Amino acid sequence: MADDLEAVLSAVGPRLRELRRRRAITLADLAAQTGISVSTLSRLESGQRRPALELLLPLASAYGVQIDELVGAPPTGDPRVHMRPVSRADMTMIPLSRRPGGLRAYKLIIPARRNTPELRIHEGHEWLYVLDGQLRLVLGDRDLLLQPGEAAEFGTQVPHWFGSTGRAPVELLTLFGPQGQRVHLRARPASAAGRDSAGT
């Protein structure tokens, strides 16, 4: 039994290294996401550090996988991806992708009460696609109204805000690239020239 346990534990490091390389992220990026030092992550991957639960939990969260996948537990036969919704800035965010780096996909549900623009800027690039309701997008000095089936793409270094018109909730899909990656699909509202509004 002890030999079996050691075999499982010794396989964790190479599995973590392979997972990180497949996701194309650095030890420094992973350290920033998990709060685990680069040296500890390196020792963990090389097998010099025992994979304790307090290390595996944040790693599983960062990679968007179950701990079973990190330790090589046998599969249960359930192919579903169990993503937990999170609340942020009055919005419900449902992750649709697992990879911790690069483009990330979310479904957002925005309540009607989120209707007061508070513009902000940050690094990255964002793509939005409206599923239901009317999305108000304030982008610099432009005030846009997007209907279901319409999309917008913009660099997040431009002051921006998006939310409801105040009449009803909005559902949308979003792709966000934290390092400024652009999506390959170039989409814009069909009548964007007529969408600008001063008091929407």
Side-chain angles (χ1 to χ4, degrees):
M1 183 67 69
D3 290 342
D4 291 342
L5 177 60
E6 285 304 317
V8 169
L9 294 178
S10 65
V12 171
R15 189 174 291 110
L16 288 173
R17 182 186 297 110
E18 178 61 24
L19 183 59
R20 180 175 59 80
R21 289 177 176 173
R22 285 205 314 266
R23 302 296 176 88
I25 61 174
T26 66
L27 285 172
D29 291 336
L30 189 59
Q33 292 181 51
T34 61
I36 303 172
S37 70
V38 170
S39 61
T40 297
L41 290 171
S42 179
R43 291 170 58 211
L44 193 60
E45 289 187 358
S46 66
Q48 298 175 10
R49 175 70 181 262
R50 193 176 182 88
L53 186 60
E54 64 267 19
L55 298 176
L56 294 179
L57 280 173
L59 286 170
S61 177
Y63 285 128
V65 300
Q66 301 293 323
I67 289 184
D68 288 354
E69 187 172 337
L70 297 184
V71 299
T76 62
D78 187 352
R80 293 173 295 177
V81 176
H82 300 281
M83 296 298 189
R84 294 181 179 177
V86 296
S87 295
R88 185 174 299 168
D90 288 335
M91 298 182 293
T92 299
M93 305 176 63
I94 304 170
L96 301 177
S97 58
R98 290 183 170 184
R99 61 176 300 170
L103 289 172
R104 300 184 187 181
Y106 297 91
K107 178 180 179 180
L108 301 186
I109 302 173
I110 303 175
R113 66 177 179 273
R114 180 183 163 87
N115 56 16
T116 302
E118 296 180 4
L119 276 67
R120 63 191 185 105
I121 61 174
H122 53 85
E123 292 297 319
H125 200 86
E126 194 148 3
W127 179 86
L128 308 173
Y129 179 85
V130 181
L131 296 170
D132 190 45
Q134 292 183 319
L135 179 73
R136 182 182 177 191
L137 171 63
V138 180
L139 192 59
D141 58 358
R142 305 183 70 191
D143 200 330
L144 308 169
L145 188 63
L146 276 68
Q147 307 289 347
E150 294 186 327
E153 183 180 3
F154 55 92
T156 52
Q157 298 87 353
V158 177
H160 64 281
W161 172 92
F162 56 86
S164 169
T165 61
R167 300 186 186 96
V170 188
E171 294 187 16
L172 64 144
L173 298 176
T174 179
L175 296 177
F176 176 70
Q179 283 77 45
Q181 294 95 335
R182 303 170 68 89
V183 295
H184 294 295
L185 173 64
R186 296 291 299 176
R188 58 177 295 179
S191 56
R195 291 292 177 199
D196 286 18
S197 58
T200 303

